[in-house]
Amino acid sequence: MRILIIGPFFPPRIGGVEKVLYYLAKGFQKRKFEVTVVVGKHDEKTKGHEFYDGVEVYRIKNSIPSAWLFFLKHMDLIRRSDMVHAHGKFFWYFPFRFLFPFKPVLTIYHGADARISLFGRTARRIAIGLSYDFLYVGRYAAERARMK
C-alpha cells in the first residue's frame, strides 16, 4: 500500500504535529507501506526533496497556490498513492479530489489548527464533506472548531 501524507511541517523542525507525522510515516513503513510526505518549508535553506530517516519528503512553499502547482507537476504522487492523509492541509489537495474522486482521503485536524475564523470553519466543513473520513486529535480541537 502507498500512502501520501500532506501536512504543515516535518522533522527536523520540532513540534507536536511534526512528531505525529514522523511516527505515522515510520509506523506505516514498519508495516511495509510505501510513504511519501509533502510538507511546507520551514526556512529557505531546507532542501526541496530529501529522505529523512528513510522517509521520502518533499518540502514546498507553504501556500495553497504553491501546493497546487507542486501537485500538478507531481501528479504521479497522487496517482500511485492508495490513500491520502491530509493533516490540516486538505486545501493543498482540494482540486485533485475532483480528479481522483475515488481516492480515499483521511483529513486529520490537530489542536493548533482549531484557532480559525468563520471562513476557516466553513472551509473545514467543506474539507470534511469531501473526505473519506476525518479525525480530530484531541477534544480541544473538536471543541475549538465547534464540530464535536
Side-chain angles (χ1 to χ4, degrees):
M1 178 174 241
R2 295 180 178 129
I3 299 176
L4 174 62
I5 298 175
I6 302 170
F9 299 110
F10 195 80
R13 187 172 190 267
I14 299 170
V17 176
E18 292 83 345
K19 286 181 184 178
V20 168
L21 297 184
Y22 172 78
Y23 288 115
L24 186 63
K26 294 304 285 182
F28 284 142
Q29 285 183 331
K30 189 174 184 179
R31 287 161 183 79
K32 307 296 183 214
F33 296 167
E34 289 182 38
V35 179
T36 303
V37 176
V38 177
V39 293
K41 274 189 167 191
H42 57 276
D43 68 39
E44 289 305 313
K45 297 175 189 170
T46 307
K47 293 179 183 176
H49 181 243
E50 68 175 334
F51 283 84
Y52 182 87
D53 194 21
V55 178
E56 184 175 26
V57 181
Y58 289 88
R59 299 179 197 274
I60 62 176
K61 187 174 177 184
N62 208 352
S63 72
I64 291 173
S66 295
W68 290 355
L69 287 172
F70 171 83
F71 283 120
L72 274 173
K73 292 178 185 174
H74 297 88
M75 204 170 313
D76 60 308
L77 291 177
I78 298 169
R79 189 177 294 114
R80 66 185 172 114
S81 296
D82 297 304
M83 180 175 214
V84 176
H85 273 232
H87 291 259
K89 294 291 186 181
F90 177 86
F91 278 90
W92 283 14
Y93 181 74
F94 179 73
F96 304 95
R97 184 68 183 130
F98 300 102
L99 294 174
F100 300 95
F102 301 107
K103 177 102 36 203
V105 178
L106 176 64
T107 300
I108 298 114
Y109 290 109
H110 300 263
D113 295 333
R115 296 177 211 105
I116 57 175
S117 66
L118 176 62
F119 173 78
R121 285 194 301 273
T122 302
R124 178 168 291 173
R125 283 185 170 90
I126 293 168
I128 289 169
L130 292 173
S131 296
Y132 179 78
D133 208 347
F134 69 95
L135 172 71
Y136 282 105
V137 179
R139 188 174 67 205
Y140 171 79
E143 289 172 359
R144 291 286 294 160
R146 297 183 192 146
M147 300 182 70
K148 295 181 188 177

